[in-house]
Amino acid sequence: MESGNVRKKFTACGDMEAEMLLERVLSEIKERLSGTGLSVYLGGSYGRGDGGVRQDREHGILYNDLDFFVFSRKKSVNAEILLKEIAEKYEKELQVDVDFSRIMNIRDIKKNAQRLMMQELKRGHHLVAGVDLLEAYLPELPAQKLPFSEACRLLLNRGMGLLLAGEKIANDSDEKDFIM
């Protein structure tokens, strides 16, 4: 039974070309993963429905990377090889990073339920392939139930981003996208 957060929109602006491209790519990935026993979710900005789109199209249509989260009831070495092949194919085609998480099991879902990353995934994802293990095993927790360490992790992450942006500004870097 496939269910989950059904998103009709992957991008913040609703760009039809980008929406259709993502629908096609996700459908192809679903087909490649059929029968593997993997549950694969698109998370991040496109999973939440607020992914970016390039207006100039010079470097592709999509602006943000694709973040996939992978879960399985049983371990499979061949699955990791398949995910790597899929990532490489679509990185070339889409001209953005395509990242698959390590393959996590049910115990990992339960153990990491209080992680901000998992709660963000619970609240905004698109089930690409497999059965919805998040619905079954990941409770949605209110923010006040998350440990203080998760706030620290988030602040450290954002602080590092600001430091790196500051270096790029000081060095008059051409990487304006990172700074913004």
Side-chain angles (χ1 to χ4, degrees):
M1 175 174 126
E2 292 186 21
S3 64
N5 287 355
V6 178
R7 293 258 181 228
K8 294 183 174 140
K9 197 166 118 169
F10 299 104
T11 64
C13 64
D15 182 278
M16 288 306 289
E17 186 179 2
E19 298 287 336
M20 289 176 16
L21 174 66
L22 282 166
E23 286 288 346
R24 177 184 60 79
V25 167
L26 296 179
S27 177
E28 290 173 6
I29 291 173
K30 178 180 181 174
E31 189 175 315
R32 290 272 320 263
L33 295 174
S34 177
T36 63
L38 298 177
S39 293
V40 178
Y41 300 82
L42 176 62
S45 59
Y46 293 111
R48 289 188 305 270
D50 61 7
V53 176
R54 292 188 187 278
Q55 296 305 310
D56 61 10
R57 310 283 208 237
E58 182 181 337
H59 301 289
I61 296 173
L62 304 180
Y63 185 80
N64 304 105
D65 58 346
L66 297 179
D67 297 310
F68 292 97
F69 294 82
V70 185
F71 302 93
S72 180
R73 293 180 192 269
K74 55 187 173 186
K75 188 135 175 110
S76 168
V77 177
N78 293 336
E80 291 177 10
I81 295 167
L82 178 59
L83 294 173
K84 185 177 180 188
E85 289 173 3
I86 292 170
E88 289 172 356
K89 173 186 180 352
Y90 289 106
E91 281 182 350
K92 287 178 187 167
E93 179 181 332
L94 302 174
Q95 300 177 33
V96 295
D97 289 335
V98 175
D99 302 316
F100 286 94
S101 72
R102 70 176 177 82
I103 301 173
M104 295 174 272
N105 59 34
I106 304 298
R107 194 176 80 231
D108 292 325
I109 294 173
K110 293 176 180 179
K111 182 175 79 176
N112 292 303
Q114 291 186 316
R115 297 273 316 271
L116 184 59
M117 173 189 72
M118 292 296 283
Q119 288 299 311
E120 182 181 74
L121 180 62
K122 174 78 173 184
R123 287 169 172 80
H125 66 267
H126 179 85
L127 181 62
V128 176
V131 297
D132 193 348
L133 297 177
L134 295 183
E135 182 65 31
Y137 297 104
L138 182 63
E140 188 169 317
L141 302 175
Q144 60 268 27
K145 293 279 187 181
L146 300 180
F148 179 72
S149 60
E150 288 301 299
C152 293
R153 185 188 314 261
L154 178 63
L155 288 173
L156 183 61
N157 178 279
R158 297 305 185 256
M160 282 303 300
L162 288 172
L163 285 172
L164 292 171
E167 282 182 11
K168 292 181 184 305
I169 290 169
N171 295 326
D172 200 27
S173 173
D174 289 335
E175 295 182 60
K176 303 288 188 247
D177 288 348
F178 181 86
I179 298 167
M180 300 167 124

